[in-house]
Amino acid sequence: MSECGGRGSGSSSSDDAADEGGGGGGPAGSGFLSPAPASSSEGRLRRGLHGASLMARRRPELLCGAVALGCALLLALKFTCSRAKDVIIPAKPPVSFFSSRSPVLDLFQGQLDYAEHVRRDSEVVLLFFYAPWCGQSIAARAEIEQAARQLSDQVLFVAINCWWNQGKCRKQKHFFYFPVIYLYHRSFGPIEYKGPMSAVYIEKFVRRVMKPLLYIPSQSELLDFLSNYEPGVLGYFEFNGSPQPPGYLTFFTSALHSLKKDYLGTVRFGVITNKHLAKLVSLAHSGSVYLHRHFNTSLVFPREVINYTAENVYKWALENRETLLRWLRPHGGKSLLLQNELKKGPALFLFIPFNPLAESHPLIDEITEVALEYNNCHGDQVVERLLQHLRRVDAPVFKSLAPEPPARLLDPPLGSASPCCNTVVLPQWHSISRTHNVCELCVNQTAGGVRPSSVSVPQCSFFDMAAALDSFYLKEQTFYHVASDSIECSNFLSFYSPFSYYSACCRTISRGGTGLIDSEQDAFESPTTAFSSLEKKCEVDPPSSVPHIEENRYLFPELDVTSTSFTGLSCRTNKTLNMYLLDSNLFWLYAERLGAPSTAQVKEFATIVDVKEESHYILDPKLALMKFTLESFIQNFSALYSPLKRHLIGSDSAQFSSQRFITEVTTDSFWEVVLQKQDVLLLYYAQWCGFCPSLNHIFIQLARLLPADTFTVARIDVSQNDLPWEFMVDRLPTVLFFPCNRKDLSVKYPEDLPITLPNLLRFILHHSNPASSAPRNPAHPPTKECLQSEAVLQQGHISHLEREIQKLRAEIGALQRAQAQVEARLASARRDEHRLRQQQQALERQHGLLRLHSQQLQSLYEHKTRELEEVARKLQELADASENLLTENTWLKILVATMERKLEGRDRPQDRAPSAHPEPAGTPRLPAGTPPPSNVSATLASERSQENRTD
């Protein structure tokens, strides 16, 4: 064991020795590392590896710990780097926007190339570009699906996700808003749709793109086309010779251009293939284009002047069109649409429920009839013929066209008899009004009778209509058997004459039957009652509305205004109206802001807005929106002294609490609060008025001082509440005082007097003198007891005011003392501020001096540094010169010694005597065998010159 142990110890010591030598301590180590020509870094690396191998052999547990620690460090570093890269979460892959059962082809990955491929294979394609996060896209999704279900067999609906960053749609299209709807008709497109995101509107627009031309086969449809309120363009093409006559494709493309430029489709395009129909609109040659205008001369496209192209045809129609009624469709954002239209003059806004897919619109036809009569200034025969067509019920105005002879559009109406007709609104107290409340009554001389409104007839005189009404009421049992909303007609014999017959068509209108009895009762109310009530109490009744023409037509038939006075009214007044249509299903909020009731069952509303006069008027919501009410409304507005009352818009009084010191007045509560029995002090203010809030505490204190049972402090926000012109003010804030019993003698607070509590009290006491406000009756003078009680009341009132004034003086004294304390503190603060400001200035001066001294020291330091550098340079030069001088001196000594030896060699042959001078001991000698330098004179001369340079 000692041997195994000895070997072990010996080997260990030898290894240690070798290691110590290899470490560079001994010659063996030096000899081992010296052959390798490595750099210092390579040497350090080798030494480090060698040290690590030594540590592994001596202590292997330390090496394992170091390896484990290194691995843990690498894992932690890798985990940290991976977390840093995953801070931005990648976008989730898109999912389908439409359901799998939807008829819409959903390309939710933005496959724009596939959309282009399917578009080329389809005749009509609708592309719906959407963003999945867009709220408007989500809202329009259901509307697109509904339209697609109706048209999926004719139109291809494709939805494309244009927001995913890896899709081709996002890379190639750059939309600024979503959703975007494009339509393609074969190779023509895109036609962008910018209308309401409603299924019916989208479907209507798609159908217009599918069939941009309206085929007109008969004269009745021609009259329907020409009597429409929208401008129309007609093209005449003969398809007998070829399936596609020349110019037809150009005309077809111009209709698509119209839809592309105007998404509302206000210009309609029609096609006539009948030669006789074409002659009615002055078209004789195939390929001619006709633009119909109601009041100006209709035009034919001038091919000789303008090239017949699709773009030119559309531009020509757009530049020369005539607008009778215009649809307004605000998009819901900020725009100047309404402002630009209101700048043109007074505007009549008609809110009606509109279904674009409906085949007929009776209410729009009535409005069109009103617009045609209103603008027919010259009694044009074409307009009269179109009006006759609009007034028909069932029977057509014209017979069917015959090839020969052709009927002219301006021929007089058929039928020799011209009856007269009137519209009669039945009073509610008649029994027939249980089933019908509106009848059209006609007087004619034929036993067969006529259909009312089938032709254009004049209105009957009062005497004719009175006789007709008597006979009608006697025969009213004829209409009892049907109680429905449909039109019911009947012919009956005159009660007075056996040769006169009457025709009546009655219908029920639930919208306009209310309010007639109230109007009738108001018209016949005795004025004595109103005056007596005014004497009994200190109140003013709300202003009653002046009876309008439409109300008089119900009450007094003899006051009925004939249609002749309305025809051409736009040319006889300085307040010509521009008429606009709005869909109440979409824009009823605008109607409510203009005064329409929010709880209306039928969303029909008419209003006139006059921006120049800063007023607007509304048609009574109790009346139905029909032809004669609309005509009467326009006549009332156009009258020189208009009976219409300006509609006032105000805030809702329910939102203000009644338990307030200051009463908040609105438009509805103005008559009740201000013009009542009490004295009222009214403050006019606005939210944007910066000076108005500073008066609130003054009016609150005033309301606390004055008794609430006899005095009212109120205010009104005139920016939110309209008032009659006589109660408006021209500046804010303004204070008006309305004394009791003398509301017509309201007083304005002086503008040059500050609005303070004492001034307001003096102003109120001065203008609310009971002696001047109480009505005096000389027949019954006041008694002594009444005067004493009045004096006691006044004394109590004065004592109450004195007590309140004492309280106010005490409060004012306390405020003055507090003000003195605050002023003392402010003075102390000002002194401290002044002292601190002086200290700051002294510190700033010291800082400036220190900065100047620092600059001087810096410059001095730089100067001394330069001087030291110069001295060091000169010292270096002196050292170099001294070294040179020492070298030269040594060489001179050697030369001198050499010269002396030469001289001695010359003198030896002459002086061989033994008395020669010995050589001095300090003379330097040249080494033996050194030859003497040559050219000694030259050497001496050079040494003298060096000495001179040194000096």
Side-chain angles (χ1 to χ4, degrees), residues 527-540:
T528 308
T529 307
F531 286 114
S532 62
S533 63
L534 185 60
E535 292 177 357
K536 292 180 181 178
K537 57 181 180 178
C538 182
E539 292 184 359
V540 177

Side-chain angles (χ1 to χ4, degrees), residues 68 152 179 185 288 332 430-431 434 504 516 529 534 616 785 830 838 870:
S152 58
H185 190 284
S288 302
H430 277 284
S431 58
R434 293 177 299 177
L516 299 178
T529 307
L534 185 60
H616 81 281
E785 292 80 4
R830 291 192 189 97
Q838 289 179 350
E870 184 68 22

